[in-house]
Each structure stands twice: as C-alpha cells, then as structure tokens.
Amino acid sequence: MMSRTVSSWILSSARNGIVLQGRGRLYSICIPNRNKIKWKLVFSKTRLYPAGSSSLDNIFSLKAFRHTSTEEEHFSFQLSPSQVNDILRAGELSHKILSFNGKNANSVLRFESNQLASNTPIEDRRSAATCLQTKGMMFGVFDGHAGSACAQAVSDRLLHYIAVSLMSRQTLEELELAVECMKPVLPILQWHKHPNDVEYREITSQYFENLRVYWQHLLDLDTEPGFSLEEAMICAFKRLDSDISLEVQAPQENELMRNVALQVAFSGATACVAHIDGVHLHVANTGDCRAILGVCEEDGTWSTLPLTRDHNAFDEFEIRRLKREHPRSEEKTLFVNDRLLGILMPSRAFGDVQLKWSKELQHSVLENSCDVEDLNIYQYVPPNYHTPPYLTAEPEVTYHKLRSKDKFLVLASDGLWEMLSNEKVVKLVAGHLTELNVQKPQLAFEKPVNLGYMHSLLLQRKNRGIASLDQNIATHLIRHAIGSNEYGEVDQEKLAAMLTLPEDLARMYRDDITVTVVYFNSETIENYYRNNK
C-alpha cells in the first residue's frame, strides 16, 4: 500500500466572508473578523494492485478534520477514478444538428453541456432550444443565489419570452386565436433537455397565462411589433423580471403557486443567453455569467473574444451606472466590500425583490405570508437602503457577425470563470478539438486491421492522458476547473478531494459550475459569405 500527504492542501476557512443564515443558502456578507473553523485535508492514494499493473482502479482517499473551539469532527471519503468520472459525467448533455443530403445549413454544428453542483441542491440552471418560428437557436446559463427557485423559473420562461418578442403580428394573432378557440397552440420552442433537468409541471399553466398576457400586450401595440433582436432580448428580460415581481404581489388561492412565487421573487438569478441565427450571434447578459468566442487565426494560433462583461463591483461601467441612478450621498455605500449594498456580488439579476422594492412593499407582501421561514425567504434589509431599486435585470446585448475562424462559443456560470481564465478555457477547448481531429484519421481504416494494430492505437490514446477521458468538452473544462494543479495539469488526488468535500466546506472552495460549448459549422458560415458577395 502506498500513501502520502499532500502538504499543499492544508485548507482553512478563515476567509473574509460569512453566510447570513435563513435556514441555509443565502447571500454573502464580508466581515473582517470571524471565528475560525480550520479544516485540514489529508489525501492518501491506495494502490489496490501491484506496481506496474495495468489497472487504473486506484482509490483516492480524503480525510477531513474540522477543528472548532469545542469539538473536532472527522470525515473520511474514498473515490475510485471510475467513481470520479461517474460524478463528473452525470449532468452531460450533447446534441448534434441533423444534416440533410449530407449538408448542414445551420451554423451550429453541435453543442455539449454539463453541470457540477457545489450547493445542495444545485442553484445553477441551463437551457437550450430551437426557435420553431424564427429558426434561430438559443442557449442560456443561469446562476441562482439564495436558492434555486429564481434560476429555475428564468430558465423555464426566458427563452419563451424572447421567442414571442421575435414573432410577427400574424404569428402572434394565430397563437391568440388558437388559445381563444381552445385549439392546439403552435409550438414555440423545441427544447434540448437533460433527462434530469428539473420541471415543475404544476405551475406551467400559470406561466403560460402570463406569457399570453405578454403577447396580447405586443398585439395591442399600434404598429407591427417588429423588434430587432437586441430590442427583443432586452424587452424579454425586463418583462419577465416584471412578471416575477407582479406574480408575488397578486392574490393567490393556490398555496403551491403562492409559495413558488415567493421563492422565485425573493431569490435571484443572473443570466446569459445566446441567440444564433445563421451568421448572426446575439448575446444578452445580466450579471456575472460569461460568454466568450474561441477564434482560430490563419496561422493556426487561438485567440479569445469576450462577448460579455461581468456586472459587479469590479466593473467601472457598472459603478458609474449605479452612481448616476442614485444620489451622491449614497456613493460610498452602493458597494461595500465589493458587494452591492454589502450583500450581493452581481449588480444585475432577476428576482431579488428585496433590493428592488421599497421597505413598505416588502413588509406588506411578507406579513401576509405565513410560511416565510419554512420557504427560506431572505428578509434582511441592508443599511443605507434609501432609494430602491438598486438592482436591474436589464441585459447588455452584444452582436457579433460570425466568421469562418470563429470555431466555438462558451457560456458558463461564474463557477467556471473563478477557476479558469478566458484564455485557459479557449486553450482547453482548442486542445480537445485538436485531439478529436487527430483521432479521426486513425480510425478511418481503408483496409481490415489486426488486433495488434488496434491495441497499439488504444495504447497511444491512453498515453495521451487525461484529455482522452472526456468526450464531452464541458466535462473536460469542469475537470480542469476543480482538479488543476499549479502547472495546469489535472491532479487526480485534488480532483477526487474536491468532489468529496463536506457540504459546508465545498461551497468555500468551489461554486456550482455550468458550462455549455457551442461548436460552429465553418463550412456553412463560409457558404454564407460566398453566396452573399
């Protein structure tokens, strides 16, 4: 048996942060001094087979010792490499766009996505769908806080709001007529979902009714709706956030609907949504999720093109925007310890009505709700709360016209970007693409091959290391995000340990991570420019 202690992994939770408790997952406030709870993590690698054995089934063990002023707790966990892979791959989703007659007119070739939880349950959500009326594709990543309720609602609803915003008057009239006559309604989206994606069918009808009110509003406009894509995305974001706010204020006879509306409005979510139609790429961002493009230059080198900026206290534009919207007397209290009002990291988000409503409205809604504590409703009103709203869901929209050298789009929650830089992410995806391209010719045999040759190819693939483990690029990114050492290589022991941290410790060292990578069809993009000269 072989074992060792990884000295670089002596971890302490003496970080300048504390979680406001309201039965669990709430907002983070910075406090200079706090009682220290120290953790020591000790890893041991146990070889189950003799040295030189071809087996990969080594067991990586984690022992965690928690020291407080009054007690010491011991935790011990073990994961084999296959168990590590099972955990990492549980949320994998991939979808390839069908081609017709050997050709693919869609500029999206395929997409791959995955999630890894830190919170229990995970507070991130993701969406992917084809717009059946506009023919574009949409991809969204949603990072929830103070619970998952708002992220769940936004992931279920936002793409519908965008699709409706893009419809012609004739299509909207057909939708309305079908509902009035109780006939089947034209499908709006074709969803691409993971089997384990959460759905709340009990409240779908209520959400549909409010979506209908929105398209009725569009029909009431004097002119053809005719939004540009940028206008449609902005309008959809703002309208959904307004509906979230109004739904919790409206009387609800149904207890489930009332409780869901409360949880959605008093939790929050950031959102990043991409709409791709031919060579036209629009990205709408609210908060600190992020979207980047991977670009392959003519000389074969890779570069990164950011499509969003993080809306938080580290962005000068956001600081100036908030200062413009509030009195000069509040300049020093808008951001405290790099958080909005000392509470929230992102400066734009859905929900979070406690940073949008007046104190009186908050009190009025909550005093009529008897289940506030059981629902984990956040009731903290920060100091210096004078001129709400301090938070907006209005997105920034970026337009980019795709070029043949634009190879992929990465959308991810901040759990990924806290671990990996934009450049590192592009490098990892590009390397993964290269490996896949290298493998393909090796398997395109013109002649029958013997088992010895096949065995040598498999050995070559195995020797290329960890990159060969993951067919899904999102899994590959998550593996590197939580398992990389100081040299940028995946440390198997660190990876296993990060997957077995106790719940109250895991959140201190990694966030929920959600990643979607969209690959573009260069041939389709080239044909567009060739045919539009």
Side-chain angles (χ1 to χ4, degrees), residues 481-526:
I482 66 170
S484 287
N485 58 23
E486 62 269 29
Y487 305 109
E489 301 169 345
V490 173
D491 182 323
Q492 297 297 327
E493 295 178 25
K494 177 181 177 182
L495 179 62
M498 289 291 277
L499 293 174
T500 52
L501 290 172
E503 181 181 337
D504 56 342
L505 180 60
R507 186 60 186 85
M508 291 184 175
Y509 294 96
R510 62 179 179 87
D511 196 357
D512 296 332
I513 302 176
T514 297
V515 186
T516 296
V517 180
V518 182
Y519 291 102
F520 298 117
N521 190 324
S522 299
E523 183 179 350
T524 299
I525 295 172
E526 288 172 2

Side-chain angles (χ1 to χ4, degrees), residues 169-444:
R169 174 174 288 275
Q170 179 180 347
T171 304
L172 292 174
E173 288 174 346
E174 290 172 359
L175 276 176
E176 179 60 21
L177 182 61
V179 175
E180 284 183 356
C181 298
M182 301 181 69
K183 293 182 178 179
V185 176
L186 287 172
I188 296 173
L189 298 174
Q190 178 187 353
W191 289 100
H192 310 296
K193 288 182 176 286
H194 187 276
N196 293 335
D197 284 351
V198 179
E199 283 189 87
Y200 294 120
R201 298 186 181 277
E202 300 90 342
I203 56 178
T204 301
S205 60
Q206 180 65 52
Y207 286 166
F208 180 80
E209 285 303 314
N210 290 340
L211 180 67
R212 182 188 180 192
V213 171
Y214 176 45
W215 80 53
Q216 288 173 336
H217 163 73
L218 295 177
L219 284 171
D220 287 340
L221 298 175
D222 293 334
T223 58
E224 171 76 22
F227 287 136
S228 68
L229 234 160
E230 178 177 354
E231 292 169 335
M233 295 180 95
I234 292 173
C235 188
F237 272 61
K238 293 171 68 175
R239 176 66 183 224
L240 176 56
D241 192 53
S242 174
D243 283 355
I244 287 171
S245 178
L246 292 173
E247 286 161 7
V248 72
Q249 298 175 57
Q252 291 280 0
E253 293 183 4
N254 184 298
E255 183 179 359
L256 172 65
M257 286 300 305
R258 183 180 71 250
N259 290 344
V260 169
L262 277 165
Q263 289 180 313
V264 170
F266 280 87
S267 60
T270 62
C272 186
V273 175
H275 182 282
I276 305 166
D277 185 5
V279 297
H280 304 293
L281 167 63
H282 290 79
V283 177
N285 184 55
T286 287
D288 52 9
C289 293
R290 195 180 299 174
I292 63 172
L293 274 179
V295 182
C296 187
E297 305 294 347
E298 291 184 3
D299 62 0
T301 60
W302 287 87
S303 62
T304 304
L305 180 62
L307 297 175
T308 60
R309 59 187 180 88
D310 300 346
H311 297 134
N312 56 34
F314 303 105
D315 185 85
E316 288 296 326
F317 292 100
E318 282 298 280
I319 293 173
R320 289 201 292 269
R321 177 184 68 81
L322 278 154
K323 285 182 177 180
R324 285 196 306 270
E325 295 174 359
H326 298 277
R328 178 171 292 184
S329 60
E330 295 187 60
E331 284 189 359
K332 293 183 179 180
T333 58
L334 287 172
F335 288 99
V336 178
N337 294 317
D338 298 326
R339 288 167 168 78
L340 183 64
L341 298 184
I343 299 240
L344 193 61
M345 283 295 291
S347 55
R348 302 192 191 198
F350 285 89
D352 290 319
V353 293
Q354 61 274 43
L355 294 178
K356 296 174 180 175
W357 290 354
S358 68
K359 296 178 184 178
E360 292 75 21
L361 179 55
Q362 292 183 50
H363 180 72
S364 173
V365 169
L366 291 175
E367 73 177 356
N368 293 321
S369 305
C370 58
D371 299 326
V372 169
E373 187 175 352
D374 290 336
L375 296 173
N376 293 342
I377 300 299
Y378 179 61
Q379 298 184 71
Y380 179 78
V381 178
N384 304 302
Y385 191 81
H386 305 300
T387 57
Y390 291 93
L391 197 62
T392 179
E394 181 171 348
E396 280 189 308
V397 180
T398 302
Y399 170 70
H400 178 77
K401 194 170 186 179
L402 292 172
R403 308 155 297 182
S404 58
K405 66 179 182 178
D406 298 324
K407 300 303 181 183
F408 56 83
L409 168 72
V410 181
L411 297 166
S413 59
D414 68 339
L416 181 75
W417 309 113
E418 288 171 355
M419 301 291 198
L420 300 174
S421 67
N422 293 357
E423 292 72 24
K424 181 64 174 177
V425 167
V426 167
K427 182 180 178 181
L428 287 168
V429 179
H432 196 265
L433 269 177
T434 301
E435 183 186 348
L436 290 176
N437 290 334
V438 166
Q439 289 176 16
K440 286 178 183 177
Q442 294 175 333
L443 299 178

